[in-house]
Amino acid sequence: MMSAVNKTSRKMYTSTLNKDGPLATNTGQTMEKVKETLIAKLKATNIEELNNLKVVLMPDFFLDHFALVKDIDFLSDIRNVYEEGGGNLLEVPQVLTLGGCAARTSLALARLGVKTSFIGRTSKLGYTLLNFFIQDANADVDITRVRNDGVLGKTLTFEFEEGGVNVMINEIGSNRDFGFSDLNEDDLKLIARSDLVCVLDWSLNINKGTELAEEVFKYAKGKGVTTYFDPADLAPRVDELKTLFDKILFNNNLDILSINEKELRILSGMNFDYNESEKVLLAANRLKAKVKPEINVHTSGFVATVGAEDIVVVPTFKVEPCKFTGAGDVWNAGNILGLLLKFTNEERLLLGNAMAGYYISHPDTLPPTIMELLPFIRETDLKGKKKKISKRVLNT
């Protein structure tokens, strides 16, 4: 027998996606109307209101080093140089930038005007670099609670233009073992005074990620603070999924779980193609039947929020991407701002999509400000008509 949650969600699948006309929401609004209301609400939001919002994020920061290459033939070039006894590959464009899910989301939120505090551990050089990146972005992120007695995390990324594929080589540094015991009394007071606390990149906090998330969320919920979790790439830690479910996802202390389609496939246990939107939603629905938090799924074609009684789906923007890393972190920032400002589900998902769409389609590495977002939302088209979901799939 299908549960009440699944019955409600199945109804929402049909009403949200079974549309051959203009893109519409499950409330009957067109997406163009949602655009209008979102723009109006963003315009009406004043700086003082944004500055009164307080978000604490933890714990990962990396120095990201990108090598921008055309296609997989680049690996043959490396092999040829190696076989010749070493040498140079000239004119390979490279970028050094701020990395890490928590650090990048902190920066994106601060660019939107939110009062943001980042807690983590790095080296003295890492702290200097972190401070430089934040100041260079004209972002007001409080990093006074970042420890500088650790090891700088570093990521070397080969970004392949063909196919939009990234291959990342990590030195995790102190990001691997930041736990709840590393938080002091001032950190806990900061969390208690915040509106929302995020624990991000559980996948790379190998030694203490579960402890950090479990204990932070328990403490925060005791203070009435909203809790937000994005585990990032789960593939390296699939053997620990049972612990993740038992300690975090089955727990009433977590409000929002933010994942992409790859992470959804791992958590749901369903094997689907990322382009199969109906199966993505079915997997999200099945996962929600097992876990406590609301599930927010962000994909390249659409995003969805799956709650206890409904599903809301919003398409992404039509853009030509010029970079392929960090979209999920910037999306989280927009989604979080929408949550804090109590926007409708459609509006906050669209805000997240606008943040990510703007970010990946602009060569500048900085996330957008609200003033930069407004014309983007107004002038950029959304992706095409939603596909009809078959009854066979819905009843699976």
Side-chain angles (χ1 to χ4, degrees):
M1 182 175 177
M2 184 175 287
S3 69
V5 168
N6 284 344
K7 283 182 179 179
T8 306
S9 297
R10 182 175 69 168
K11 178 180 178 182
M12 287 300 178
Y13 281 145
T14 306
S15 61
T16 303
L17 295 179
N18 190 8
K19 300 285 182 183
D20 295 320
L23 290 172
T25 70
N26 54 13
T27 61
Q29 283 185 308
T30 66
M31 286 308 306
E32 288 302 317
K33 183 62 177 176
V34 176
K35 273 190 178 187
E36 291 177 12
T37 59
L38 175 58
I39 289 171
K41 287 184 178 181
L42 289 174
K43 283 183 174 180
T45 303
N46 60 51
I47 294 176
E48 183 178 347
E49 182 179 3
L50 292 172
N51 288 338
N52 285 334
L53 301 174
K54 301 178 182 64
V55 179
V56 178
L57 304 98
M58 62 188 79
D60 62 319
F61 160 62
F62 286 83
L63 173 64
D64 277 2
H65 181 185
F66 289 87
L68 313 178
V69 299
K70 184 176 181 181
D71 53 36
I72 196 67
D73 289 341
F74 178 74
L75 300 183
S76 299
D77 296 337
I78 292 177
R79 175 176 287 277
N80 291 338
V81 173
Y82 173 83
E83 291 176 347
E84 291 170 359
N88 288 323
L89 288 173
L90 303 179
E91 300 301 331
V92 178
Q94 298 176 52
V95 177
L96 293 175
T97 187
L98 176 144
C101 297
R104 197 154 37 210
T105 304
S106 298
L107 181 68
L109 272 168
R111 293 274 294 169
L112 291 171
V114 177
K115 188 173 180 60
T116 306
S117 299
F118 170 59
I119 301 174
R121 172 170 280 115
T122 186
S123 66
K124 291 181 179 178
L125 172 61
Y127 189 91
T128 300
L129 291 168
L130 176 61
N131 188 55
F132 168 79
F133 287 130
I134 289 170
Q135 289 190 359
D136 190 55
N138 193 28
D140 185 13
V141 181
D142 175 14
I143 59 170
T144 57
R145 289 174 175 79
V146 175
R147 287 67 167 156
N148 65 3
D149 58 349
V151 178
L152 170 63
K154 296 172 280 290
T155 302
L156 171 61
T157 300
F158 292 100
E159 187 168 285
F160 293 89
E161 179 183 349
E162 186 176 281
V165 174
N166 285 341
V167 177
M168 291 173 279
I169 303 170
N170 291 111
E171 179 187 352
I172 301 175
S174 294
N175 298 303
R176 70 164 50 246
D177 55 7
F178 192 90
F180 187 76
S181 59
D182 291 296
L183 301 178
N184 59 33
E185 185 177 347
D186 287 338
D187 297 325
L188 295 178
K189 288 179 180 178
L190 182 68
I191 293 170
R193 294 194 300 265
S194 68
D195 298 296
L196 184 144
V197 62
C198 296
V199 175
L200 307 174
D201 213 348
W202 171 87
S203 64
L204 293 183
N205 192 351
I206 296 170
N207 296 332
K208 297 183 178 180
T210 301
E211 173 220 345
L212 178 69
E214 181 183 19
E215 294 300 325
V216 165
F217 295 154
K218 179 181 177 181
Y219 177 81
K221 289 312 295 180
K223 304 297 182 180
V225 177
T226 300
T227 53
Y228 194 101
F229 182 58
D230 186 334
D233 186 6
L234 296 164
R237 298 183 66 183
V238 290
D239 292 342
E240 300 176 64
L241 289 183
K242 185 178 185 304
T243 301
L244 178 65
F245 274 96
D246 290 345
K247 298 288 188 179
I248 302 171
L249 302 185
F250 290 158
N251 201 308
N252 286 321
N253 292 327
L254 177 57
D255 294 314
I256 304 289
L257 170 65
S258 177
I259 52 178
N260 63 23
E261 59 267 63
K262 179 181 178 181
E263 293 143 15
L264 173 62
R265 186 161 69 177
I266 293 172
L267 289 175
S268 68
M270 287 183 60
N271 188 18
F272 52 80
D273 187 279
Y274 296 154
N275 294 321
E276 296 178 301
S277 56
E278 57 189 29
K279 291 188 178 179
V280 173
L281 291 171
L282 180 59
N285 187 44
R286 287 186 173 181
L287 178 61
K288 177 56 193 156
K290 297 191 297 182
V291 302
K292 300 295 185 181
E294 174 187 308
I295 300 171
N296 292 178
V297 182
H298 42 93
T299 81
S300 60
F302 68 92
V303 298
T305 176
V306 184
E309 297 183 351
D310 65 357
I311 292 179
V312 175
V313 183
V314 171
T316 55
F317 287 86
K318 289 181 183 177
V319 296
E320 288 294 330
C322 61
K323 53 181 175 285
F324 306 98
T325 299
D329 305 322
V330 177
W331 185 88
N332 277 333
N335 189 44
I336 289 167
L337 178 60
L339 283 167
L340 295 176
L341 293 177
K342 296 181 170 47
F343 288 177
T344 68
N345 285 333
E346 289 87 355
E347 291 162 356
R348 72 173 168 96
L349 295 180
L350 190 63
L351 177 56
N353 290 351
M355 287 286 291
Y358 183 102
Y359 179 71
I360 65 172
S361 62
H362 286 71
D364 191 330
T365 56
L366 292 179
T369 64
I370 287 180
M371 292 306 295
E372 290 169 332
L373 271 184
L374 293 175
F376 176 85
I377 296 170
R378 184 184 301 110
E379 298 166 10
T380 310
D381 292 333
L382 294 165
K383 290 192 175 178
K385 297 174 183 176
K386 299 185 176 75
K387 298 176 181 178
K388 183 181 289 187
I389 291 183
S390 68
K391 293 186 177 184
R392 178 183 62 79
V393 172
L394 289 175
N395 286 310
T396 300

